[in-house]
Amino acid sequence: MAQSKTILVLNGPNLNLLGQREPVVYGSGTLSDVEKLCSDYASDAGYEIDFRQSNSEGELVTWLHEAENGAVGVAFNAGAYTHTSIALHDAVKAISTPVVELHISNVHAREEFRHKSIMASACIGQICGFGTSSYTLALQALIGHIK
Ligand code: DQA
């Protein structure tokens, strides 16, 4: 991660199983499909994507720290850590790089424990409920914010 036109797309736990995981909720596209969607969208807009996934909270924290100097913005699907992680909230607060929270599903229409986002107040905004198009909508919002 080093360039001024790089957007970091971060994916949290279980998103490596996209395509096989609860397809009724998350659709049949894989994480590689999402990566392609993001890099096509970004390159049309003149940006590059650094696309990563981790099941480890600490690794996501470290990558957010790296975004301070390595990315112009972050589109972040933190998965279930969205609802539990003060460490990720603090990491988003600790960097000046803008972060957009995103979710494939409409978390507000699901179980009550998904209604609360610990990260949302640290992010510039939240996009959810549009399937994998939430990723490109998050990139659109981020790029609009950066410009
Ligand atoms: C998710 C929603 C979270 O509640 C869930 O834990 C996920 C995926 C989404 O993209 O809809 O892992 O972030």
Side-chain angles (χ1 to χ4, degrees):
M1 235 199 292
Q3 294 173 10
S4 62
K5 283 288 199 177
T6 300
I7 293 174
L8 178 62
V9 182
L10 268 190
N11 295 278
N14 300 307
L15 290 162
N16 53 309
L17 297 182
L18 223 50
Q20 65 185 84
R21 170 194 186 205
E22 298 185 80
V24 172
V25 178
Y26 299 114
S28 56
T30 65
L31 198 60
S32 304
D33 296 334
V34 174
E35 179 170 6
K36 168 106 175 64
L37 207 62
C38 289
S39 74
D40 287 352
Y41 184 90
S43 82
D44 284 352
Y47 289 83
E48 280 181 11
I49 289 299
D50 182 345
F51 193 90
R52 303 183 186 193
Q53 188 274 332
S54 178
N55 293 320
S56 153
E57 187 177 15
E59 194 161 36
L60 294 165
V61 167
T62 301
W63 288 344
L64 284 168
H65 294 173
E66 287 175 15
E68 174 72 55
N69 296 313
V72 290
V74 182
F76 192 10
N77 185 351
Y81 288 144
T82 305
H83 318 296
T84 62
S85 177
I86 295 169
L88 287 175
H89 169 101
D90 286 353
V92 172
K93 289 282 265 194
I95 60 172
S96 58
T97 312
V99 180
V100 172
E101 175 182 334
L102 79 95
H103 303 283
I104 296 166
S105 64
N106 180 357
V107 286
H108 303 289
R110 299 181 62 196
E111 302 96 324
E112 201 170 339
F113 62 82
R114 295 184 206 276
H115 297 180
K116 171 78 187 159
S117 166
I118 291 183
M119 300 222 319
S121 64
C123 294
I124 58 169
Q126 181 196 63
I127 292 182
C128 70
F130 296 97
T132 52
S133 298
S134 291
Y135 282 83
T136 46
L137 289 167
L139 290 175
Q140 184 186 356
L142 200 51
I143 289 166
H145 177 87
I146 293 162
K147 272 184 179 161

